[in-house]
Amino acid sequence: GENVEQHPSTLSVQEGDSAVIKCTYSDSASNYFPWYKQELGKRPQLIIDIRSNVGEKKDQRIAVTLNKTAKHFSLHITETQPEDSAVYFCAASWSAGNMLTFGGGTRLMVKP
Amino acid sequence: SQTIHQWPATLVQPVGSPLSLECTVEGTSNPNLYWYRQAAGRGLQLLFYSVGIGQISSEVPQNLSASRPQDRQFILSSKKLLLSDSGFYLCAWSAPFGELFFGEGSRLTVL
């Protein structure tokens, strides 16, 4: 089965700096890679996803890159703000709608 | 539009008592349904998933069970709770080839 490793487990940045979270996956058949943000006490919410037919996707301050050859993908947050503080989860699956395998999560803290 | 609801939002139960968490999805048909558990400060552990009525797959052996009596209803149960069952339980749904959406969560404390 699929295995997703996520690093780092905690990340502290100064407001305005960039943050990068990296994930690796094991199953070369995986083609769908979403990222979820979970604020304290709340449900995880999808913030961005990427499918294997593209190498990069951007949405305002958030971008995700995918390297299928190396089997890793990354979340990039630029110009971080205190409201970006949360736990971020990466995930992988064969396709959207199929069972996701989640990484262990990254606690991002943005210091004002 | 599609919505997902789960309840209760919080509950405190003694060890050995039964459990029933319910989840319903509106605005779609034949969704894939999931139950996840999240221990404090930890990741998302998949407990059960279902692709149709009466079809339940278990990912982790434990004292919990799940049922899907109707197309858009998913229930998580236990006959006797353990201390280790404490956590944040999340129901989720996805359409075929669609994104995964989580419910608001149910926080269970077993004393």
Side-chain angles (χ1 to χ4, degrees):
Chain A
E2 176 66 277
N3 182 51
V4 178
E5 300 283 342
Q6 183 172 345
H7 300 280
S9 57
T10 60
L11 178 59
S12 181
V13 300
Q14 207 66 37
E15 182 178 359
D17 288 349
S18 294
V20 180
I21 303 170
K22 299 181 180 181
C23 290
T24 60
Y25 62 98
S26 60
D27 190 349
S28 57
S30 289
N31 288 300
Y32 174 63
F33 307 93
W35 286 87
Y36 285 81
K37 175 184 180 182
Q38 186 180 27
E39 297 178 354
L40 188 64
K42 303 285 184 63
R43 66 180 120 182
Q45 293 193 299
L46 179 72
I47 56 172
I48 195 168
D49 58 15
I50 191 168
R51 288 164 170 79
S52 64
N53 59 339
V54 296
E56 183 174 359
K57 185 176 179 180
K58 193 171 182 180
D59 182 5
Q60 298 182 358
R61 298 186 295 108
I62 294 174
V64 57
T65 58
L66 171 65
N67 183 327
K68 283 222 75 179
T69 302
K71 289 190 284 188
H72 66 70
F73 56 112
S74 300
L75 178 71
H76 305 252
I77 306 174
T78 58
E79 301 173 25
T80 54
Q81 301 168 4
E83 51 265 37
D84 294 328
S85 297
V87 178
Y88 292 81
F89 292 97
C90 64
S93 74
W94 179 70
S95 74
N98 278 271
M99 192 171 63
L100 290 171
T101 300
F102 282 91
T106 297
R107 182 173 300 278
L108 173 64
M109 294 170 284
V110 180
K111 294 186 251 185
Chain B
S1 64
Q2 301 89 1
T3 56
I4 178 171
H5 301 286
Q6 65 175 103
W7 65 93
T10 60
L11 64 166
V12 180
Q13 296 285 103
V15 169
S17 64
L19 171 74
S20 181
L21 301 178
E22 189 165 340
C23 172
T24 59
V25 180
E26 298 175 357
T28 187
S29 59
N30 198 30
N32 295 333
L33 295 172
Y34 308 82
W35 278 110
Y36 286 86
R37 177 170 62 194
Q38 191 174 31
R42 305 294 294 275
L44 297 161
Q45 179 188 32
L46 178 64
L47 301 176
F48 301 96
Y49 69 95
S50 171
V51 298
I53 296 175
Q55 300 178 60
I56 310 293
S57 295
S58 174
E59 289 297 301
V60 182
Q62 59 220 324
N63 68 321
L64 300 173
S65 62
S67 62
R68 186 171 177 173
Q70 300 180 43
D71 181 45
R72 293 169 292 168
Q73 183 184 27
F74 206 24
I75 298 171
L76 182 70
S77 304
S78 174
K79 293 182 179 178
K80 289 185 177 181
L81 285 169
L82 308 173
L83 284 174
S84 57
D85 290 325
S86 293
F88 191 45
Y89 288 81
L90 289 154
C91 182
W93 78 275
S94 69
F97 304 105
E99 303 160 5
L100 184 72
F101 296 96
F102 287 92
E104 305 97 325
S106 299
R107 189 165 304 281
L108 170 66
T109 303
V110 183
L111 301 175

